[in-house]
């Protein structure tokens, strides 16, 4: 799978992802599946470790991201979001290390 180019729509930092948290442990982002939108497109959530924003984006057939919206969650809301999106334990550990989660 090719690397996915990511740019945080809130702070502008960019990076490349394998879409695999185990491979992307040092990256400034992690990506997880968010939901399927009305048109059937898979929407992914990209968490930016630099500013704590979540970028919702769909991945097109050329593995390019189309950004939909950017939002921020904190504390309990972020914790709930992680459970809802089934965020991996590696990503949770990293969120804690960066003090986005208690
Ligand atoms: Zn950011």
């Amino acid at each position: 799978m090719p690397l996915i180019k990511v740019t945080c729509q809130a702070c502008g930092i960019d990076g490349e992802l394998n879409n695999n948290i185990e491979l992307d442990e040092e990256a400034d982002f992690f990506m997880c599946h968010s939901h399927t939108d009305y048109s059937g497109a898979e929407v992914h959530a990209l968490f930016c470790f630099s500013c704590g924003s979540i970028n919702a984006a769909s991945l097109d057939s050329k593995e390019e991201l189309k950004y939909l919206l950017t939002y921020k969650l904190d504390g309990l809301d972020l914790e709930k979001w992680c459970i809802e999106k089934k965020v991996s334990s590696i990503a949770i550990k990293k969120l804690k290390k960066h003090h986005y989660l208690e």
Side-chain angles (χ1 to χ4, degrees):
M1 190 170 179
L3 288 174
I4 300 159
K5 285 193 190 336
V6 185
T7 305
C8 176
Q9 303 300 292
C11 71
I13 197 166
D14 48 29
E16 287 182 329
L17 286 181
N18 288 297
N19 193 16
N20 180 338
I21 184 67
E22 286 172 50
L23 296 175
D24 294 332
E25 218 175 337
E26 301 302 315
D28 292 317
F29 297 89
F30 77 80
M31 182 154 99
C32 65
H33 182 257
S34 178
H35 60 279
T36 306
D37 81 0
Y38 63 91
S39 67
E42 299 292 320
V43 178
H44 300 274
L46 291 134
F47 186 92
C48 170
F49 284 105
S50 174
C51 72
S53 295
I54 298 165
N55 297 270
S58 61
L59 209 51
D60 71 12
S61 52
K62 289 179 299 217
E63 302 289 331
E64 271 169 30
L65 289 166
K66 200 179 115 207
Y67 296 96
L68 306 166
L69 83 155
T70 302
Y71 55 100
K72 228 170 186 174
L73 297 173
D74 48 39
L76 214 55
D77 289 331
L78 183 60
E79 212 176 303
K80 281 187 204 155
W81 182 87
C82 286
I83 295 165
E84 204 185 296
K85 308 300 183 196
K86 300 185 177 72
V87 171
S88 77
S89 57
I90 298 170
I92 302 267
K93 225 164 111 187
K94 204 167 157 181
L95 285 168
K96 288 182 177 164
K97 202 173 111 196
H98 285 76
H99 306 291
Y100 288 117
L101 280 179
E102 299 270 310

